[in-house]
Amino acid sequence: MRLLPASLSGRLLAGAAVFVTLALVAAAVLISLILQQFVTDQLDQRLDSQMVAVADALQRNSEGKLILSVDVDGPPFDRLASGWYWQASGDGVDLRSKSLGNGSIDVPPHRFEWRELLSGRGSPAEGTGPAGESLHLRTRTMAAAGQTVTLVVSAPREALLGPMKKALVPLVGSLIAIGVGLLLASFLQVRLGLRPLRHLQASLREIRAGRAQHVSSDQPDELRPLVDELNALIDQNAQGLAAARRHVANLAHGLKTPLATLALELNEPGADPTRAMKPLVERIEGSIRHHLARARSGALGASGRVSTPLLPRCREIASVLGKIHADRNVEAVIVGDGALAVACEMQDLDEMLGNLLDNAFKWARSRVSLAATAEGQFVVIRIEDDGVGLAEERLPDVLLPGRRLDEAMPGHGFGLSITRELAELYGGSLALRSGPPGGLTAILTLPIASA
């Protein structure tokens, strides 16, 4: 059974709540003890003052009996059954306040204390009144007119508890308000304190979407080592990606070109009399494409964090090809959303666009157009030229390795097949269509970069 919340903020808030509650309970107990001591001291001072007044008023009459020389029963000691009582007792002495009437205070056995002797004040005690009410007492044994007398002065227990209740009610309310304020402050502190982690999460999301290459180093001191490690890991993965891409490219160039040449040789009359070699070559080619796709996919991590702006690359490649074919005066028109980005490596995108645009420039009479649109999770790139076009039945053949549209044109016939393979490796596709007025339309579909 989990005792702590799963989230870090929940744990911090739970810890703050526990410690704030314990601190406030301890403060409430301590303040109540201090308040009780203060109220008790104030009450004891009042009772001690009454005790001194009674002691000073004791004197012997003509008969040698202790009596009061003056009336000491001022308010509230003059109200009957008020709980404010005093009594003096001793050998032949029995004096009491008007408020006590004929009753008496039930006093516990008196214990002599040195502080009573040193301070000249009474000792605290608890007792009961004539009606059984609870009383707070001050007792003192002293010599008066040569005789030992025990003085007892009392106040109703409510005189001690009443002020305590009046003070504790607003005190408890104030402590609750303070606790709520502290918890709110803790909540705000946790939110502000964990904000750098949310910023770090957003930075990683930007990297995964391909909009950033590294986590910003503008972080709190506690997070900076973590950010450095993350950036080092990103760089290490990028280096591994580059190495994997080099191996994939080397393998592709090392195997596919000889294999395509072998396939062309087998198409010659008499080169494969039993027709057994061509299926084997096609099987080998399919196996190579399959394993290259798996290697590429693993190296790119499913292209999750790769993002390349599309139109800038289109314009740059078209500009270069326009200069190469400047003698033919071909106009290039590129339209599309400038914010479009594809989940492809820039080198691969350049190779695909370069192959398609180069073919378009070669065959166009006067115009090449490129239009890019977002369609769901993909970007569709349509490259059209106004050349002579191609018959529908020949369109599938030109996508095969080594097939060329025109043997008179320079080239090796691998551009379109490489473009198709690259597109498929990224989860896209390449298709060719004949244009309505003539010419050829290449439709390149690539995954859109994560938003």
Side-chain angles (χ1 to χ4, degrees), residues 183-213:
L183 289 178
L184 180 59
S186 299
F187 174 78
L188 295 177
Q189 183 180 13
V190 169
R191 295 287 295 179
L192 292 175
L194 296 182
R195 180 174 292 179
L197 293 179
R198 291 190 291 273
H199 291 168
L200 180 59
Q201 180 185 11
S203 297
L204 292 176
R205 189 184 301 117
E206 292 290 314
I207 292 173
R208 193 167 67 88
R211 292 188 291 268
Q213 297 298 324

Side-chain angles (χ1 to χ4, degrees), residues 4-15:
L4 294 177
S7 67
L8 184 59
S9 59
R11 296 186 180 191
L12 292 175
L13 289 176

Side-chain angles (χ1 to χ4, degrees), residues 21-206:
T21 301
L22 293 177
L24 291 179
V25 169
V29 172
L30 182 60
I31 293 175
S32 62
L33 292 176
I34 295 174
L35 182 61
Q36 180 182 8
Q37 185 64 41
F38 175 77
V39 174
T40 302
D41 287 344
Q42 295 296 312
L43 184 60
D44 288 346
Q45 288 181 12
R46 185 173 184 182
L47 296 179
D48 287 342
S49 297
Q50 182 66 22
M51 185 179 291
V52 171
V54 173
D56 291 344
L58 288 176
Q59 65 178 18
R60 291 188 181 276
N61 59 10
S62 57
E63 299 177 356
K65 186 178 181 179
L66 285 178
I67 61 172
L68 295 175
S69 59
V70 294
D71 185 8
V72 294
D73 289 335
F77 292 93
D78 57 348
R79 296 196 305 270
L80 188 64
S82 62
W84 295 89
Y85 309 131
W86 65 264
Q87 68 181 22
S89 58
D91 187 12
V93 179
D94 187 12
L95 300 175
R96 63 194 66 198
S97 63
K98 296 177 183 178
S99 57
L100 194 55
N102 294 326
S104 63
I105 303 172
D106 185 8
V107 184
H110 177 68
R111 294 183 303 171
F112 176 77
E113 297 184 5
W114 283 102
R115 62 178 180 177
E116 177 182 336
L117 178 63
L118 296 176
S119 64
R121 300 177 59 186
S123 298
E126 302 296 328
T128 56
E133 67 270 36
S134 180
L135 301 176
H136 176 72
L137 308 179
R138 298 287 286 179
T139 65
R140 181 182 178 190
T141 300
M142 56 179 293
Q147 184 174 348
T148 301
V149 178
T150 300
L151 293 178
V152 179
V153 184
S154 71
R157 188 70 178 170
E158 187 61 28
L160 181 62
L161 298 180
M164 288 284 296
K165 292 179 181 178
K166 291 181 180 179
L168 287 177
V169 169
L171 173 63
V172 172
S174 300
L175 290 177
I176 292 176
I178 292 174
V180 172
L182 289 175
L183 289 178
L184 180 59
S186 299
F187 174 78
L188 295 177
Q189 183 180 13
V190 169
R191 295 287 295 179
L192 292 175
L194 296 182
R195 180 174 292 179
L197 293 179
R198 291 190 291 273
H199 291 168
L200 180 59
Q201 180 185 11
S203 297
L204 292 176
R205 189 184 301 117
E206 292 290 314

Side-chain angles (χ1 to χ4, degrees), residues 279-302:
L280 291 176
V281 171
E282 292 175 350
R283 183 177 175 183
I284 294 172
E285 181 182 5
S287 179
I288 291 174
R289 291 183 59 188
H290 170 71
H291 290 288
L292 284 178
R294 291 185 60 185
R296 180 94 179 199
S297 177
L300 294 177

Side-chain angles (χ1 to χ4, degrees), residues 393-418:
E393 61 271 13
R394 292 196 59 193
L395 293 179
D397 293 336
V398 297
L399 293 176
L400 298 176
R403 300 298 175 88
R404 297 168 58 186
L405 300 179
D406 189 344
E407 296 295 333
M409 285 289 184
H412 301 282
F414 293 102
L416 292 178
S417 63
I418 291 175

